[in-house]
Every structure is written in structure tokens, then in C-alpha cells.
């Protein structure tokens, strides 16, 4: 029932910046209460780790690798979230999944492949 529209795949070079967007909606319309939005990253051969999340009360959490370089913010009225990533390095490469917690549970996007090359 929850539809997530996310940014397309991207390739950047080390040191560059990249912004990811995610928009959540209910397929059949109606009330939609979103509590948390954010992104997880999964690199090849690794588990899925938190990149950043933001709650309905604007409580923000960042994964260790994102602290100081990434910024997440959200438009609560539109149920959209944005992740600004700066000073990217090769270790930031991976599949980025937008996640949304709502009255329907947790929804995850199909993923955006981010490739950072030197």
C-alpha cells in the first residue's frame, strides 16, 4: 500500500557531493501517518547499515560513517525526505534503501545504487 519514489542510480567521484530524495505515499490514498524516514546502505558482502533517519519529531540519527558529512531533512507535510551527502569516499558506495515507518509498518524502497570512484 505504501509507494516509495526514490532517486535514480548515481556515479560520482571521490570528494563530490550527492543528494538522494525519497517520497512516500499511499497507493489508494487516504490517511497516511509517517513516523520515521531514512536510508540504510548495503555494500556488497556487508549487512545493511543505518545511514540516517529522522522521526516525526525531527529526532535525527546518523550512522558512524555519515556523521559530519551527511545531512538528512524532511518535509512532513509532503512525506518526503532528503539526504545530502558531502565529501563522498569509496566506502560510501553501495545500495541505498529509503525506509518509511508508518501505520502500515516498515516499507523499503527497491534501492538506489551509489558508486563512488577515485
Amino acid at each position: 500500500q505504501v509507494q516509495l519514489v526514490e532517486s535514480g542510480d548515481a556515479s560520482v567521484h571521490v570528494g563530490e557531493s550527492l543528494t538522494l530524495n525519497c517520497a512516500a505515499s499511499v497507493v489508494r490514498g487516504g490517511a497516511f501517518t509517517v513516523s520515521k524516514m531514512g536510508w540504510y546502505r548495503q555494500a556488497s558482502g556487508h549487512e545493511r547499515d543505518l545511514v540516517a533517519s529522522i522521526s516525526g519529531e525531527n529526532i535525527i540519527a546518523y550512522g558512524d560513517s555519515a556523521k559530519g558529512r551527511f545531512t538528512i531533512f524532511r518535509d512532513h507535510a509532503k512525506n518526503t525526505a532528503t539526504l545530502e551527502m558531502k565529501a563522498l569516499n569509496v566506502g560510501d558506495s553501495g545500495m541505498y534503501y529509503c525506509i518509511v515507518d508508518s501505520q502500515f509498518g516498515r516499507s523499503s524502497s527497491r534501492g538506489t545504487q551509489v558508486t563512488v570512484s577515485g
Side-chain angles (χ1 to χ4, degrees):
Q1 286 184 315
V2 176
Q3 181 179 35
L4 299 179
V5 178
E6 60 186 338
S7 300
D9 296 346
S11 294
V12 297
H13 292 100
V14 170
E16 293 184 339
S17 300
L18 180 67
T19 297
L20 300 182
N21 295 292
C22 181
S25 62
V26 179
V27 174
R28 296 184 178 180
F32 186 34
T33 304
V34 175
S35 55
K36 182 182 291 185
M37 298 186 71
W39 278 268
Y40 280 75
R41 178 182 64 234
Q42 186 165 23
S44 179
H46 292 79
E47 294 182 354
R48 193 175 294 192
D49 294 324
L50 172 70
V51 178
S53 67
I54 182 168
S55 73
E57 296 77 29
N58 285 329
I59 297 172
I60 293 173
Y62 290 106
D64 288 340
S65 64
K67 293 177 181 177
R69 298 186 299 126
F70 295 3
T71 304
I72 186 171
F73 53 94
R74 175 176 166 182
D75 185 324
H76 296 273
K78 296 181 179 178
N79 288 321
T80 61
T82 298
L83 180 68
E84 293 183 342
M85 303 185 290
K86 297 181 179 180
L88 288 164
N89 57 60
V90 174
D92 295 317
S93 298
M95 188 70 79
Y96 284 70
Y97 297 93
C98 173
I99 60 95
V100 171
D101 291 344
S102 68
Q103 74 262 39
F104 302 110
R106 172 158 291 189
S107 302
S108 178
S109 68
R110 292 185 176 183
T112 295
Q113 180 65 48
V114 173
T115 302
V116 184
S117 58

